[in-house]
Amino acid sequence: MSSPAPDDPLAKLQAFWNSRYAGDEFVYGTEPNDFVVRSLARIAEGARVLCLADGEGRNSVWLARQGCRVTAVDVAAEGVAKARRLAHASGVEVETHVADVTRFDMGHDAWDAIVSIFLHLPAKARRALHRRAIEALAPGGVFVYEAYGPQQPRFGTGGPPEAHLLHPLGDVVADFDGCAIEHRHEGVRAVHEGRLHRGDGYVVQVIARKRG
Ligand SMILES: C[S@@+](CC[C@H](N)C(=O)[O-])C[C@H]1O[C@@H](n2cnc3c(N)ncnc32)[C@H](O)[C@@H]1O
């Protein structure tokens, strides 16, 4: 990935996340996200899985430990470096890329599952990413999404404070028009993930399957 100018929005995004991930602590922990664990039953054995905005690698590494063939993408080089270390320490392989997911070429019919956990994009970018992700999924492939919803700032337990990054369930479901929606949910759940996701939070969850 080429280096953008310091005032470029992408450079600012990278600086924010790289500074968050600097240091040895895994700020979202090393255990997988609960919703990813619950969703494994919907992902075929040996599946090709793409983890979007995978951060420090807790989800990609856990999926690789379950036998999936995993590729992880994140914009923050510091996070990706930690993901590589976690994979090595766990004895699994994860292909990693430092890239902006809104520009990353996901290919066509290339993945059995795409996983997006706590990636908070503006609405237009979110929708465009999800429409491209449908193209990138193989027929019968599944998209697994969890993010904080619009009510989350009241809880103050993690996630961005900016309202334009927090999307209602209906908007996310609409992104997957044409897919089978296997799971849709919004509500409060306990999220305990490292130091930065601490306590009851308002989450939006979607599992969408590309029709075969
Ligand atoms: C709250 S963290 C979640 C990380 C990981 N999914 C997890 O559950 O542990 C959000 C992640 O989104 C990444 N991110 C934000 N915008 C991105 C973009 N446009 N392209 C790639 N990664 C992005 C950040 O670098 C960060 O790692």
Side-chain angles (χ1 to χ4, degrees), residues 58-81:
R58 65 197 179 104
N59 297 317
S60 59
V61 168
W62 183 81
L63 286 161
R65 286 176 52 210
Q66 310 314 305
C68 298
R69 291 171 284 159
V70 187
T71 298
V73 185
D74 199 281
V75 78
E78 296 272 357
V80 171

Side-chain angles (χ1 to χ4, degrees), residues 11-30:
K12 287 186 182 162
L13 185 71
Q14 287 179 305
F16 175 84
W17 285 106
N18 279 328
S19 96
R20 181 162 277 194
Y21 291 144
D24 291 335
E25 178 192 9
F26 281 71
V27 294
Y28 299 109
T30 54

Side-chain angles (χ1 to χ4, degrees), residues 23-149:
D24 291 335
E25 178 192 9
F26 281 71
V27 294
Y28 299 109
T30 54
E31 295 301 314
N33 166 270
D34 290 340
F35 185 59
V36 169
V37 174
R38 278 181 40 213
S39 303
L40 182 69
R42 298 175 194 264
I43 300 175
E45 211 178 320
R48 299 159 297 170
V49 181
L50 176 63
C51 290
L52 298 174
D54 185 55
E56 301 159 302
R58 65 197 179 104
N59 297 317
S60 59
V61 168
W62 183 81
L63 286 161
R65 286 176 52 210
Q66 310 314 305
C68 298
R69 291 171 284 159
V70 187
T71 298
V73 185
D74 199 281
V75 78
E78 296 272 357
V80 171
K82 279 178 164 169
R84 289 187 189 126
R85 288 206 296 278
L86 186 62
H88 183 73
S90 307
V92 294
E93 287 195 14
V94 173
E95 183 179 322
T96 55
H97 297 269
V98 177
D100 175 358
V101 293
T102 66
R103 300 182 201 179
F104 182 71
D105 180 2
M106 296 185 277
H108 282 261
D109 294 353
W111 307 99
D112 303 306
I114 301 179
V115 173
S116 173
I117 302 298
F118 294 123
L119 168 60
H120 299 103
L121 294 172
K124 196 173 162 194
R126 182 210 73 225
R127 180 163 174 80
L129 176 68
H130 289 168
R131 296 310 294 174
R132 286 198 303 115
I134 297 168
E135 298 273 335
L137 282 170
V142 73
F143 193 95
V144 176
Y145 172 100
E146 182 174 63
Y148 286 120

